[in-house]
Amino acid sequence: MVIQAVLFDTFGTVVDWRSGVVRDVVAFAGRHGLSLDAERFATDWRGLYQPAMENVRSGRREFVQLDQLHLENLRLVLEAHAVPRSWISDAEINWLNGAWQRLDPWPDSVPALTSLKEHLIVGALSNGNVSLLVRLSKHAGLPWDVVAGSDLSRAYKPDPRAYRFAAELLDLAPEEVMLCAAHNSDLAAARAVGFRTAFVPRRTEHSGHQTQDLAPEQDWDVVVEDLRELPSRLAAELRSPVPSSSSG
Amino acid sequence: MVIQAVLFDTFGTVVDWRSGVVRDVVAFAGRHGLSLDAERFATDWRGLYQPAMENVRSGRREFVQLDQLHLENLRLVLEAHAVPRSWISDAEINWLNGAWQRLDPWPDSVPALTSLKEHLIVGALSNGNVSLLVRLSKHAGLPWDVVAGSDLSRAYKPDPRAYRFAAELLDLAPEEVMLCAAHNSDLAAARAVGFRTAFVPRRTEHSGHQTQDLAPEQDWDVVVEDLRELPSRLAAELRSPVPSSSSG
């Protein structure tokens, strides 16, 4: 089977969350006369991301949208950074939570998506909710054909239901879908349900201290250093016999 | 409240289903040496569309995707046009059913969507399923920000759940969403849940015999003769006070 769709992890893979969040934390701090370590603030905020989703994945908590998890986490981080709750209005908190809608793409993202889109379905397969992803995609100019937010499947990656849902939504077999991600764990879960896989390292996603996802940890179907290599690499893959899914 | 999103009915409003279906029926008949009245065939096929969805809306049948309803209806129409089932392979039937993915846009559709997309969320709010709409939109070059297919809400318009679901998916109040459609009944249902409304007549949708939807039947918020008027009309609307929703 040939690949019909390439779906992209979004935060970290397609957009640079760190620089965007830092930028808005700096603006927020300036408006409110706060002395915040914006880099540390961004790290701490993102640090609560996986634990918050894990509460949902494990069944300890019913599905809630990522916007809501981000907001809850933001309040925790503000407290941890000694910003008293009473100082900041809900409207301002919501503005800062909207930082995740105002992230910029990595320089190779839009050219790569635009090129791939000529021949394949390109979509977001993200833990973000659709409304967040749509606003982010307008800000960043991401030309998706389809936005598969987690609120559609009500499952957070790497829950296998998230990947299976996306393939079914597109009426495709898992082997016809490729996930492109900067995170080995995401690709491992996608491969386990039968997706094909493409890795692109984003070695500055977590600033200079990054220790994870600097290199591929499995023999992913495609590995590129720059997303703009992906269209030609896929064209080569499509000319060669496609291996059958290992997951059966 | 100002409009944040304009959602479009798709079949008939954005794409010309009749000419596309007729084109593929002609090709199909040619390949199989059949003598088919392609115009009549298209009319008959589309004629089974509302009754098939009504079975779902009424609860007589569980939700099934429009692709499946189209396929069932196609088999009925082939029989009615005296094409014995055994003559045609399933692959060929499926090819013809894919005619709904190969429709062309009306000439004003892509320029209007492209212009609106600069300032607003533009999306499909269609009874088509997402996989059908995504393939159709690639064929027709429709630059949607979001594709709200009926398989997401599992409700067929004018079921009010279809409209409410779309607003919730975008995290918008109904008053922040406008439906644009060529069908008065669709707009009436959208208005009933609080959407704003835009009408564009498509007087050749049903060929020369069209008797319905030649003119607006209510005081829709905006009426245009050509979708390319919509961006400037909305800019004018957005400058004037927005009436509160009549549906409360």
Side-chain angles (χ1 to χ4, degrees):
Chain A
M1 284 187 177
V2 297
I3 297 167
Q4 302 287 338
V6 183
L7 305 183
F8 288 79
D9 171 63
T10 305
F11 298 106
T13 300
V14 177
V15 298
D16 171 13
W17 59 265
R18 164 168 292 276
S19 71
V21 169
V22 166
R23 179 176 60 210
D24 280 0
V25 170
V26 168
F28 176 86
R31 279 208 298 275
H32 297 284
L34 300 168
S35 172
L36 290 175
D37 178 341
E39 287 281 346
R40 177 72 184 278
F41 194 102
T43 299
D44 291 351
W45 196 1
R46 185 68 170 182
L48 296 173
Y49 172 73
Q50 289 295 343
M53 290 189 297
E54 189 56 28
N55 279 335
V56 174
R57 289 188 204 110
S58 67
R60 285 192 296 274
R61 183 177 185 181
E62 289 231 333
F63 180 84
V64 287
Q65 296 199 350
L66 188 61
D67 271 343
Q68 177 64 26
L69 298 180
H70 275 154
L71 183 62
E72 294 171 7
N73 293 342
L74 173 56
R75 292 192 183 280
L76 293 173
V77 175
L78 284 167
E79 282 182 31
H81 284 250
V83 181
R85 179 170 288 222
S86 58
W87 282 17
I88 312 290
S89 70
D90 282 349
E92 274 293 294
I93 302 278
N94 286 331
W95 178 85
L96 184 53
N97 201 45
W100 300 93
Q101 302 175 4
R102 294 184 293 266
L103 307 176
D104 295 333
W106 299 109
D108 53 352
S109 296
V110 174
L113 296 181
T114 303
S115 173
L116 286 170
K117 189 181 165 85
E118 290 173 29
H119 304 290
L120 296 157
I121 295 168
V122 294
L125 176 48
S126 167
N127 283 332
N129 39 285
V130 170
S131 63
L132 165 58
L133 292 168
V134 166
R135 288 169 175 80
L136 168 64
S137 299
K138 288 187 79 71
H139 171 85
L142 307 176
W144 303 125
D145 293 311
V146 64
V147 174
S150 54
D151 47 335
L152 299 182
S153 63
R154 298 179 71 83
Y156 282 119
K157 296 186 296 179
D159 185 327
R161 292 177 298 171
Y163 308 90
R164 289 198 193 104
F165 176 90
E168 288 167 12
L169 184 70
L170 294 170
D171 196 21
L172 294 174
E175 303 90 312
E176 295 176 298
V177 182
M178 172 171 271
L179 179 74
C180 178
H183 310 123
N184 285 283
S185 60
D186 199 1
L187 294 175
R191 174 174 274 184
V193 305
F195 278 30
R196 301 191 71 200
T197 50
F199 178 79
V200 58
R202 298 299 196 186
R203 299 192 182 89
T204 59
E205 178 187 354
H206 295 274
S207 80
H209 317 297
Q210 187 158 335
T211 57
Q212 285 194 311
D213 293 319
L214 297 171
E217 293 168 7
Q218 291 190 37
D219 60 331
W220 307 124
D221 296 303
V222 176
V223 175
V224 293
E225 275 295 314
D226 183 301
L227 277 187
R228 282 167 287 204
E229 301 165 33
L230 196 53
S232 62
R233 290 293 303 279
L234 288 187
E237 288 287 314
L238 294 176
R239 279 195 298 272
S240 55
V242 176
S244 61
S245 161
S246 59
S247 73
Chain B
M1 284 189 177
V2 298
I3 296 167
Q4 303 287 339
V6 183
L7 304 183
F8 288 78
D9 172 63
T10 305
F11 297 107
T13 300
V14 176
V15 297
D16 171 13
W17 60 264
R18 165 169 291 277
S19 71
V21 169
V22 166
R23 178 177 59 209
D24 280 0
V25 170
V26 168
F28 175 88
R31 280 209 296 276
H32 298 282
L34 301 168
S35 173
L36 290 175
D37 179 340
E39 288 280 346
R40 177 72 183 279
F41 195 101
T43 299
D44 291 351
W45 198 0
R46 183 69 169 181
L48 296 173
Y49 172 72
Q50 287 296 342
M53 291 189 295
E54 190 56 28
N55 279 335
V56 174
R57 288 189 204 109
S58 66
R60 285 192 295 274
R61 182 176 186 182
E62 288 231 335
F63 180 83
V64 287
Q65 297 201 348
L66 187 61
D67 271 342
Q68 177 63 25
L69 298 179
H70 276 153
L71 183 63
E72 294 171 7
N73 293 342
L74 173 56
R75 293 193 183 280
L76 294 172
V77 176
L78 284 167
E79 282 183 31
H81 284 249
V83 181
R85 179 171 288 223
S86 58
W87 282 18
I88 312 288
S89 70
D90 282 349
E92 273 293 294
I93 302 277
N94 286 331
W95 178 86
L96 185 52
N97 201 44
W100 301 93
Q101 303 177 3
R102 294 183 293 265
L103 307 176
D104 295 333
W106 299 108
D108 52 352
S109 295
V110 174
L113 295 181
T114 303
S115 173
L116 286 169
K117 188 181 166 83
E118 292 173 27
H119 303 290
L120 295 158
I121 295 168
V122 294
L125 176 46
S126 167
N127 284 333
N129 39 286
V130 170
S131 63
L132 165 58
L133 292 169
V134 165
R135 288 168 175 80
L136 168 63
S137 299
K138 289 189 80 71
H139 171 86
L142 308 176
W144 303 125
D145 293 311
V146 64
V147 174
S150 55
D151 47 336
L152 299 183
S153 63
R154 299 179 69 84
Y156 282 119
K157 298 185 296 177
D159 185 327
R161 293 177 296 170
Y163 309 91
R164 288 197 193 105
F165 175 90
E168 287 166 12
L169 184 70
L170 294 170
D171 195 21
L172 294 174
E175 303 91 311
E176 295 175 297
V177 182
M178 171 172 272
L179 180 74
C180 178
H183 311 122
N184 284 283
S185 59
D186 199 0
L187 295 175
R191 173 174 275 185
V193 304
F195 277 30
R196 302 190 72 198
T197 50
F199 178 79
V200 59
R202 299 299 196 186
R203 298 193 182 88
T204 60
E205 177 186 354
H206 296 273
S207 82
H209 318 296
Q210 188 158 334
T211 56
Q212 285 194 312
D213 293 319
L214 297 171
E217 293 168 8
Q218 291 190 37
D219 59 333
W220 307 124
D221 296 303
V222 176
V223 176
V224 293
E225 275 295 315
D226 183 301
L227 277 188
R228 283 167 287 204
E229 301 165 33
L230 196 52
S232 60
R233 290 294 304 280
L234 287 188
E237 287 287 314
L238 294 176
R239 279 196 299 272
S240 55
V242 176
S244 60
S245 160
S246 60
S247 70

